[in-house]
Amino acid sequence: MSSGLTLPVWVAAAAKASLDALLGQPFAAQASVSLPDRPAPLLVPVISAARLDGGAQALAISRCDPGPGLDLTRDLEIWVRVSWTPDKQAGLTLLAGAGVGTRGAGGDLCVSAYARDLLERNLLPLDRGLTVEVVLPKGRELALRTSNAAFGVVDGLALIGTQAEVQRSAAPDQLKQVLLDLAQLTGDPEFRGDLILVIGENGLDLARQAQLAPLLKVGNWLGPVLVAAAEAGVQNLLLLGYHGKLIKLAGGIFHTHHHLADGRLEVLTALGLDAGLSLQQLRLLRHAPSVEQAFKELAAVNPAMAEQLGQQLALAVEQRSQAYVARYGDWPMRIGAVLFDRNRHLRWRGPVAGERFFTLMD
């Protein structure tokens, strides 16, 4: 695959190789991984696999290859240790080893529904329980270069991929694929005019947990997708994303990759000025290390004002997005916005979202 494979696929490959070793099967340099959207298994390279502790457990190693482009998981070693669980009815028990992210210190393994499904699909059913521990030797170090902490994920990388192939959120090919997906959604005879546009993997995972539909995941090419949605006949569009990402739209930035434009704290400070914050509070916003921290520090001194600023942000996202689309044509599409925080709680909504999609937060 020219686009490469996501981290959950490489974890599943190592897990499958580890289970094969535990069952006493000879080592194969490729693990056969079953995927939910492919009729035939995918052969994924693994480095090694062996039984340990007299055959009571096994360990296998794969090395992540995300394909061309920049990706911090490139060449990341993935170790997966499997062992039998005393309770034969326990099914699959997943453990976060070193370098794997958890939801808070000592919390549960941060794993998406897709990643868990891959493991269950490839390791079960068995006639006894199986414990699977994932170890990413460089995971803790690499996590410092991600936004994991912004979502309450600590100690390592989260296993939150939602598909097998890597999507390039900043590449033109990714935009092309999103537009094709949009055309397919809106061309469905059962399409009724509503669409939820989710930003990033966390937004997609949150939307699926909330059983929201129809969903379209978009990367950083938000402006062209908004216009294309209006052209395709979408009547009501909801933007669902992390406030640290959607805030760029409130500043008129509609390609949101950080390599091209940032300005998040500047936008937040300007919104704070409109909301009537004091000079001291504005300085607090301007010099905060992140949008998340800015809201946290403001809430510590004035909770009501922090809440008002969040609502002002959601309103600005709606208004600037609507104005952006209006520059390119006259369509009836209405745009709402719902923002979630680092704990992935749906936090603020604009008036359009409150009117059309109000059940999301009730």
Side-chain angles (χ1 to χ4, degrees), residues 136-212:
L136 304 177
K138 295 185 177 179
R140 186 187 294 267
E141 174 186 343
L142 291 177
L144 298 176
R145 296 159 54 188
T146 73
S147 59
N148 280 3
F151 298 100
V153 180
V154 302
D155 293 335
L157 295 174
L159 308 181
I160 58 170
T162 55
Q163 60 186 27
E165 296 186 30
V166 173
Q167 282 191 343
R168 303 295 167 197
S169 62
D173 286 346
Q174 193 269 347
L175 172 61
K176 181 179 179 181
Q177 184 59 54
V178 170
L179 295 179
L180 289 174
D181 293 342
L182 173 64
Q184 183 177 3
L185 278 171
T186 56
D188 191 314
E190 297 185 2
F191 180 69
R192 296 294 180 263
D194 289 355
L195 179 65
I196 300 173
L197 205 64
V198 295
I199 319 301
E201 293 289 346
N202 278 285
L204 182 60
D205 189 45
L206 178 61
R208 286 176 171 170
Q209 288 183 32
Q211 298 183 333
L212 305 178

Side-chain angles (χ1 to χ4, degrees), residues 7 11 76-80 94-111 132-141 143 148 153-160:
L7 182 58
V11 170
L76 173 67
E77 280 198 1
I78 300 157
W79 301 359
V80 179
L94 300 181
L95 301 179
V100 177
T102 61
R103 300 191 185 282
D108 293 332
L109 169 69
C110 185
V111 57
V132 178
E133 180 183 18
V134 181
V135 175
L136 304 177
K138 295 185 177 179
R140 186 187 294 267
E141 174 186 343
N148 280 3
V153 180
V154 302
D155 293 335
L157 295 174
L159 308 181
I160 58 170

Side-chain angles (χ1 to χ4, degrees), residues 54 114 147 258 323:
Y114 178 80
S147 59
H258 67 276

Side-chain angles (χ1 to χ4, degrees), residues 14-15 18-19 22 50 52-53 56-61 78-84 93 95 123 130-135:
S18 188
L19 176 60
L22 186 65
L52 306 173
D53 193 21
Q57 55 182 312
L59 176 71
I61 302 174
I78 300 157
W79 301 359
V80 179
R81 181 183 64 86
V82 301
S83 59
W84 300 122
T93 300
L95 301 179
L123 303 179
L130 187 70
T131 297
V132 178
E133 180 183 18
V134 181
V135 175

Side-chain angles (χ1 to χ4, degrees), residues 20-98:
D20 288 346
L22 186 65
L23 294 172
Q25 298 179 14
F27 172 71
Q30 293 180 316
S32 177
V33 177
S34 297
L35 301 174
D37 55 350
R38 292 177 177 270
L42 184 67
L43 296 179
V44 182
V46 291
I47 298 174
S48 61
R51 300 176 76 178
L52 306 173
D53 193 21
Q57 55 182 312
L59 176 71
I61 302 174
S62 64
R63 180 178 286 116
C64 185
D65 179 3
L70 298 174
D71 195 303
L72 61 82
T73 64
R74 181 176 310 284
D75 293 328
L76 173 67
E77 280 198 1
I78 300 157
W79 301 359
V80 179
R81 181 183 64 86
V82 301
S83 59
W84 300 122
T85 303
D87 182 0
K88 293 186 177 183
Q89 306 300 319
L92 199 64
T93 300
L94 300 181
L95 301 179

Side-chain angles (χ1 to χ4, degrees), residues 292-310:
E292 177 70 35
Q293 189 63 27
F295 273 107
K296 183 177 180 179
E297 293 179 9
L298 180 60
V301 297
N302 193 327
M305 187 59 73
E307 183 64 23
Q308 180 182 337
L309 182 60

